Amino acid sequence: MRAPLLLPLLLFLPIISCQNAPSSSKRGLVYIPNSRHMSDDSIWTSASSDLTWYYNYQSKPSAALKNSSKLQFVPMLWGSSTTFLVDVTSQIKSGANISYVLAFNEPDGGGSTGGSAIPAETAAETWQREVEPLKEFGVKLGAPAVTGAPSGKIWLQNFFNACKGNCSADFIPVHWYGNFEGLASHVGEVRAAYQNLTMWVTEYANNNVNLKESQNFYNQSSQFFDRIDYITHYSYFGSFRSSVSNVGPNAAMLTEKGKLTDIGSWYLGGAATGNIPHGAAGRNVLFAGSSIVVLFTSIWNLL
């Protein structure tokens, strides 16, 4: 069944209770380092974790996860680069299992929200030099991961026009922040525009809502992704403590004390924990998307 017909039907399916969460091999980790609480890293690689892959907005694996046998690393060309191809091929030649790459994190967005802010024409030139040659190694290529705003749709169209048929993406990443109805609608629009590509949802959350809304969104969205065959991978944006979350404390997978929240436990395939997340009292936390990775040292040292 084609996506425009399928998506409205899925909106009316019942929400399944996640007291005991179903497992899913589609789930991955948006890895956010925390230099003050490095022990948090072990949560994502525990024997009970459902996660199978991760990315860190960089071309090289994170030291904390490099030796994990559970998590397959997915390199990302975050913005303009002249070393991405060398970085990735070096890993492949050394025996690393690099099956996929991601490219251009929110290129239509600005630095204040983690966007790489790269013109579509420049991105097309960079892709053909740094990304397209990876096809020769059997690597599947992710299209640029634009924002869920209308500017993302326009930027992506301009990118493929600038490529002139020389950018052969295998899958299209999607980012979304907002409610489930908006997410489902956005997924449907992207699918209608790029029906020949599979889809990864590489950032998503319902930001700055109450706990019940956040949990309902998580339950609906994860069940939605698991039902749809063309969505092959997804990664929830919340792998940090609630006290340092700019998408609201209730979206975080860890409490301010580093304990798994219900959402965090469900995402890893576990049962509800009953741990309630709380925000940072009396201070503002400044991070968004990949900007916390690009600037993580200075940010985390302030917390």
Side-chain angles (χ1 to χ4, degrees):
M1 186 179 293
R2 295 180 63 179
L5 296 176
L6 175 63
L7 291 171
L9 294 175
L10 288 173
L11 292 175
F12 295 99
L13 292 175
I15 300 174
I16 300 170
S17 171
C18 279
Q19 290 302 309
N20 291 291
S23 62
S24 173
S25 61
K26 296 182 179 183
R27 293 179 195 149
L29 174 70
V30 185
Y31 177 63
I32 308 301
N34 186 335
S35 61
R36 290 199 63 190
H37 302 286
M38 297 176 68
S39 60
D40 290 354
D41 292 336
S42 63
I43 294 172
W44 317 122
T45 58
S46 66
S48 59
S49 172
D50 231 14
L51 307 182
T52 60
W53 63 278
Y54 82 99
Y55 77 100
N56 59 4
Y57 301 100
Q58 300 177 43
S59 61
K60 298 179 181 179
S62 299
L65 305 177
K66 188 173 182 179
N67 296 322
S68 171
S69 60
K70 291 177 62 69
L71 298 178
Q72 181 181 12
F73 176 57
V74 179
M76 171 181 271
L77 171 61
W78 184 79
S80 183
S81 171
T82 58
T83 64
F84 183 76
L85 178 60
V86 171
D87 289 345
V88 176
T89 55
S90 295
Q91 292 173 62
I92 293 172
K93 291 176 181 178
S94 67
N97 180 17
I98 305 295
S99 302
Y100 310 94
V101 294
L102 298 166
F104 305 117
N105 186 70
E106 300 192 348
D108 58 307
S112 63
T113 57
S116 55
I118 179 172
E121 294 75 15
T122 303
E125 294 175 3
T126 304
W127 172 290
Q128 292 172 62
R129 184 186 68 246
E130 301 290 329
V131 180
E132 189 68 23
L134 291 169
K135 280 279 191 180
E136 297 178 9
F137 294 87
V139 177
K140 294 189 179 299
L141 313 180
V146 298
T147 69
S151 61
K153 178 180 179 181
I154 296 170
W155 189 99
L156 200 56
Q157 290 172 340
N158 291 339
F159 169 80
F160 281 116
N161 288 337
C163 284
K164 298 179 180 179
N166 296 315
C167 303
S168 51
D170 297 290
F171 61 93
I172 187 158
V174 166
H175 286 189
W176 181 260
Y177 292 94
N179 62 28
F180 174 71
E181 290 75 17
L183 168 65
S185 176
H186 183 59
V187 166
E189 290 177 1
V190 174
R191 178 60 175 176
Y194 301 98
Q195 294 188 22
N196 294 328
L197 303 181
T198 56
M199 186 181 298
W200 291 31
V201 183
T202 51
E203 281 188 28
Y204 73 102
N206 194 3
N207 52 315
N208 302 309
V209 296
N210 65 43
L211 185 58
K212 182 177 180 180
E213 288 178 285
S214 190
Q215 290 178 341
N216 284 344
F217 169 82
Y218 170 77
N219 292 340
Q220 287 180 295
S221 58
S222 61
Q223 293 160 25
F224 176 63
F225 297 153
D226 287 334
R227 288 186 183 114
I228 299 179
D229 290 341
Y230 63 77
I231 296 179
T232 63
H233 297 67
Y234 62 91
S235 49
Y236 182 76
F237 188 75
S239 59
F240 35 75
R241 297 191 178 203
S242 59
S243 53
V244 296
S245 171
N246 82 318
V247 290
N250 296 318
M253 290 198 279
L254 301 176
T255 69
E256 71 284 1
K257 296 181 180 180
K259 303 295 183 182
L260 282 169
T261 63
D262 286 352
I263 289 176
S265 184
W266 292 334
Y267 191 67
L268 269 59
T273 63
N275 295 325
I276 306 300
H278 299 284
R283 60 180 174 179
N284 293 322
V285 178
L286 302 174
F287 72 78
S290 63
S291 61
I292 49 177
V293 177
V294 176
L295 300 175
F296 79 91
T297 301
S298 59
I299 294 173
W300 286 113
N301 287 338
L302 291 174
L303 299 176

